[in-house]
Amino acid sequence: MRQLQCFDGRNALDWESVWAAFDEDGGLIVEHFIQPELLQRLQADFAPLIAAHRPGSATEGFWTGFHGTQTKRVTGLAGHSAAWCELLCDERYVAMGDRYLGKDEYWLNTAQLICIGPNEVPQLLHRDELNWPRARCEREITVTAIFALTDFTEANGATVLAPGSNHWPGALPETPTNATCRAVMPAGSALLYSGKIIHGGGENTTTNEWRVGLHAGFCAGWLRSEENHQLTVPLERARKMPERVQHLLGYRSYSPKKGGRLGLVDYDDAGALL
Ligand SMILES: O=C(O)CCC(=O)C(=O)O
């Protein structure tokens, strides 16, 4: 069974190998990506939000199954955690967005805590780029990180991925079980992956363990992001955030090297408001 390549974030990353793994397999793991002290602050910031949240989806129909009936999903995180805003500025995370989507040409798509609870069934396998089915093209339109805030194990719901499926033709080809692996990784690791790789949340067969992942992706600046950050992080709060975070949350306009500008305010960059 093909596995994802694994790097050690305590050492300087060999970027050529990192991008080669990303391009070939569609994803990779960087263990120890988050410093222990930052990990503790993230866990402390998010613990009360997770405790206050109930499992299951607010949306009926297809989304009830997709989101998971035993899974808590918590969004709107930037307004609650300075530690998360700090991680958003991590230069290795920035490097992934800049490489695949173009420097300053992307938004934070969604940042959600995905807490997979005991007895959760496997999530439907999917490709993240299918959020925008008509926009799919050869290039990446979305790339994502899942940061492990607890250990990810086979038993508690480590993400299921099909390495190499980023090259498979068709919108969502059939995925044989023997083509998949699990992103087993210790707390503090990051799974970095392409919008084209087939993947999904894993089954949680434990009776008492929650698997907590911070699922945070970027999407191209010409796309509407999954989460509406400007409604959960009000302007006054955004003013106090690092410039990169303001940008990622949509408090900037999209100005590609070619083509027109989007998301303007009074024909100026939205950043002028701040
Ligand atoms: O939680 C995971 O491991 C993956 C979840 C996922 O891919 C999703 O909800 O879109």
Side-chain angles (χ1 to χ4, degrees), residues 32-264:
H32 311 288
F33 188 99
I34 307 174
Q35 296 273 346
E37 184 271 332
L38 179 57
L39 178 61
Q40 273 177 16
R41 280 192 283 133
L42 289 163
Q43 289 165 334
D45 285 353
F46 294 146
L49 304 180
I50 296 171
H53 218 82
R54 284 212 313 267
S57 180
T59 321
E60 306 238 316
F62 168 80
W63 296 107
T64 309
F66 189 82
H67 288 153
T69 58
Q70 307 305 316
T71 296
K72 297 185 185 189
R73 288 177 184 255
V74 187
T75 56
L77 304 178
H80 293 281
S81 172
W84 167 228
C85 294
E86 199 174 312
L87 182 56
L88 271 172
C89 299
D90 182 290
E91 60 183 21
R92 297 160 301 169
Y93 189 24
V94 173
M96 176 177 72
D98 287 1
R99 178 180 173 88
Y100 290 103
L101 301 171
K103 187 169 163 36
D104 295 333
E105 292 193 13
Y106 54 93
W107 314 123
L108 181 65
N109 180 41
T110 175
Q112 51 183 289
L113 294 166
I114 301 186
C115 315
I116 301 185
N119 303 315
E120 182 58 281
V121 297
Q123 189 188 29
L124 180 80
L125 295 177
H126 59 281
R127 283 175 163 150
D128 286 351
E129 66 176 12
L130 287 170
N131 245 346
W132 307 269
R134 293 184 188 175
R136 287 179 61 233
C137 57
E138 218 167 281
R139 291 195 51 180
E140 293 287 357
I141 55 172
T142 183
V143 290
T144 297
I146 298 183
F147 298 103
L149 300 188
T150 59
D151 290 343
F152 275 33
T153 67
E154 295 254 0
N156 76 8
T159 312
V160 178
L161 301 109
S165 58
N166 47 318
H167 300 292
W168 295 356
L172 190 57
E174 200 59 40
T175 305
T177 310
N178 64 7
T180 63
C181 69
R182 305 291 293 275
V184 170
M185 51 187 177
S189 306
L191 163 67
L192 307 179
Y193 68 91
S194 153
K196 298 178 183 297
I197 191 171
I198 297 177
H199 71 283
E203 177 181 24
N204 186 331
T205 55
T206 73
T207 51
N208 57 0
E209 256 186 66
W210 287 84
R211 189 228 70 177
V212 181
L214 169 48
H215 173 280
F218 303 131
C219 68
W222 46 275
L223 293 172
R224 179 85 160 128
S225 64
E226 189 174 327
E227 199 179 325
N228 191 328
H229 308 286
Q230 288 119 67
L231 292 182
T232 53
V233 180
L235 187 59
E236 280 318 310
R237 194 157 218 155
R239 281 190 212 278
K240 301 190 184 100
M241 291 180 166
E243 229 179 286
R244 171 170 170 82
V245 178
Q246 294 175 350
H247 188 129
L248 286 173
L249 297 179
Y251 283 104
R252 287 293 185 281
S253 303
Y254 172 64
S255 302
K257 281 163 205 84
K258 283 187 191 158
R261 297 182 299 157
L262 306 174
L264 301 172

